[in-house]
């Protein structure tokens, strides 16, 4: 116990210094409601943001989600380069074979003789 608590206990003792009059809380609600002003007005609702801002925010969200979906579904650059590279290599070999005029049978004979 602190020194202040001991001083208070010496002055007041163990009794409760706060007292409520008899029957105070029995009619408290009625007395309180009678003291309030009786007005028939309802409170006014004040919008913090105009309604147009709600629509603008919805459009921004939809546009953002659409761009994320479209961006994630596009083919990657490495895939496109690999496809282009395969096509270029195949075209190169076709052109070279046409240039040296070697047919499929001659290639097959050459490969079987190499083994």
């Amino acid at each position: 116990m602190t020194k202040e608590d001991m001083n208070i206990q010496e002055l007041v003792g163990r009794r409760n210094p706060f007292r409520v009059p008899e029957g105070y809380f029995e009619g408290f609600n009625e007395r309180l409601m009678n003291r309030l002003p009786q007005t028939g007005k309802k409170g006014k609702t004040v919008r913090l943001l105009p309604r147009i801002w709600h629509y603008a925010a919805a459009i921004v969200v939809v546009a953002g989600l659409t761009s994320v979906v479209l961006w994630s579904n596009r083919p990657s650059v490495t895939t496109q380069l690999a496809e282009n590279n395969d096509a270029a290599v195949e075209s190169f070999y076709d052109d070279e074979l046409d240039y040296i005029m070697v047919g499929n049978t001659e290639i097959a004979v050459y490969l079987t003789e190499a083994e």
Side-chain angles (χ1 to χ4, degrees):
M1 197 178 269
T2 65
K3 188 175 183 179
E4 291 177 8
D5 291 339
M6 292 173 60
N7 289 339
I8 291 172
Q9 193 172 22
E10 287 175 13
L11 291 173
V12 177
R14 288 290 211 185
R15 65 180 176 84
N16 187 0
F18 304 103
R19 300 200 186 273
V20 178
E22 291 294 324
Y24 179 77
F25 288 109
E26 289 176 8
F28 181 76
N29 287 340
E30 292 82 23
R31 287 193 311 259
L32 179 65
M33 293 305 286
N34 290 336
R35 290 179 67 187
L36 293 175
Q38 300 294 328
T39 59
K41 294 181 182 178
K42 286 191 173 182
K44 183 179 178 183
T45 303
V46 177
R47 291 197 170 276
L48 297 177
L49 292 174
R51 197 173 291 270
I52 189 76
W53 288 108
H54 297 284
Y55 296 128
I59 290 171
V60 167
V61 168
V62 169
L65 290 175
T66 303
S67 65
V68 166
V69 168
L70 292 178
W71 187 263
S72 64
N73 287 339
R74 69 178 181 79
S76 66
V77 174
T78 56
T79 305
Q80 289 176 349
L81 289 176
E83 290 172 0
N84 290 343
N85 191 23
D86 290 344
V89 168
E90 188 176 323
S91 173
F92 173 76
Y93 285 131
D94 286 344
D95 291 344
E96 288 299 315
L97 290 175
D98 286 343
Y99 177 72
I100 58 175
M101 294 190 192
V102 176
N104 289 339
T105 55
E106 294 170 339
I107 294 173
V109 169
Y110 176 77
L111 290 175
T112 53
E113 289 176 359
E115 292 178 2

